[in-house]
Amino acid sequence: MTKPLTGLMPACPTSLTAEGDADVASMKAVVRHMLDNGASGLVPLGGTGEYTSLAPETRVATIEACVEAASGAPVYAGVLSPGLGDALPAARSFAEAGADGLMLMIPYYVKLTQSGVIDYFHAVRDAVDLPIMFYDNPARSHFVVDTDTIATLAEDGTINSIKASNTDMATFDRLVRSVGPDFSVLSGQDTLFAQQVALGAVGGVLTSAVLVPGIWAQVQELAADGKLAEAIALQRSLEPLMAALFCEENPVPLRHALARIGLETGSSPVPLHPLSDGARKQVEKAISDLRASGVDLPRAA
């Protein structure tokens, strides 16, 4: 039986060279930064990892680098495909690269039904022998997956976890109550992490946790211990950072933030643009204010 996922599994950017290839050394450095500072695993090649912008060989090299640097910590590779024609070869290649699991998003072009979602996940499950995390993000997929659909996939063993990025808290509460105790519900929303832990999330796949996984681990511990007011207060101290990281399209601000702590990850492929001057100043102020508050962040050389 697959070990349940818990704790912070940051959604990390893909390190790229100037030519757009995988920067293996940089990717390994980002992974070690996260794991050495409180993360329990990682999720490369999700939206933050720009799966849809990368060539297949870049994706595979990235997973290989992450697995090597993770030294046994779980690596769930994102598969954000429009259909099985891309999803199955990608999933098979990630399995061969050593990924511990997949984070699978529903197809985002075809008009879906609930039964079609189930069929899609069953097809990937039957083709690739890896645990699957359901990536539920209706803002990106433009389709609302019923909690009954997720519960069905959990009950039949197709999925072992979910990154829940639906911001509707009533839906989240129904989700937690509809799955069994061995199923890992992970928050996918930085701004609601403490509240979702209080409702039953056992960890999170968070973008800002790439930078400060240790603080998010403290938020989780407080919320899980019933100290919700303290957890929310600590979470609110990260609001300037969260606002900065999403002031322009993710992961462009995150790349700049990582560069400010000495982790160069390259530039996002087009159609994303370089960070504007105003956004750059906002990111740099958020990092500076964190340091001034006592957060121990490395400095760029």
Side-chain angles (χ1 to χ4, degrees), residues 185-202:
V185 177
L186 304 173
S187 169
Q189 190 67 28
D190 299 43
T191 55
L192 295 174
F193 180 61
Q195 297 91 321
Q196 291 180 336
V197 170
L199 287 174
V202 296

Side-chain angles (χ1 to χ4, degrees), residues 72-196:
V75 176
Y76 271 56
V79 178
L80 280 60
S81 299
L84 291 174
D86 178 76
L88 293 184
R92 291 187 182 109
S93 70
F94 297 158
E96 292 174 0
D100 299 286
L102 305 173
M103 183 184 74
L104 182 62
M105 190 175 190
I106 61 176
Y108 43 80
Y109 181 81
V110 66
K111 292 183 178 179
L112 288 168
T113 62
Q114 300 299 325
S115 60
V117 169
I118 292 172
D119 291 344
Y120 181 75
F121 274 76
H122 283 173
V124 176
R125 175 202 65 189
D126 292 344
V128 184
D129 187 22
L130 281 178
I132 298 175
M133 178 191 300
F134 194 115
Y135 182 18
D136 185 29
N137 189 341
R140 293 289 187 175
S141 67
H142 308 293
F143 182 80
V144 177
V145 181
D146 289 346
T147 53
D148 288 347
T149 298
I150 295 166
T152 295
L153 291 168
E155 186 175 354
D156 71 16
T158 299
I159 59 176
N160 73 335
S161 53
I162 184 170
K163 176 185 177 181
S165 295
N166 188 330
T167 59
D168 186 293
M169 293 297 283
T171 297
F172 185 87
D173 185 49
R174 286 197 301 272
L175 168 66
V176 171
R177 291 185 282 116
S178 70
V179 296
D182 294 327
F183 185 86
S184 297
V185 177
L186 304 173
S187 169
Q189 190 67 28
D190 299 43
T191 55
L192 295 174
F193 180 61
Q195 297 91 321
Q196 291 180 336

Side-chain angles (χ1 to χ4, degrees), residues 7 61 92 126 195 212 216 260 265 274 278:
R92 291 187 182 109
D126 292 344
Q195 297 91 321
V212 287
W216 282 116
R260 299 303 298 169
T265 60

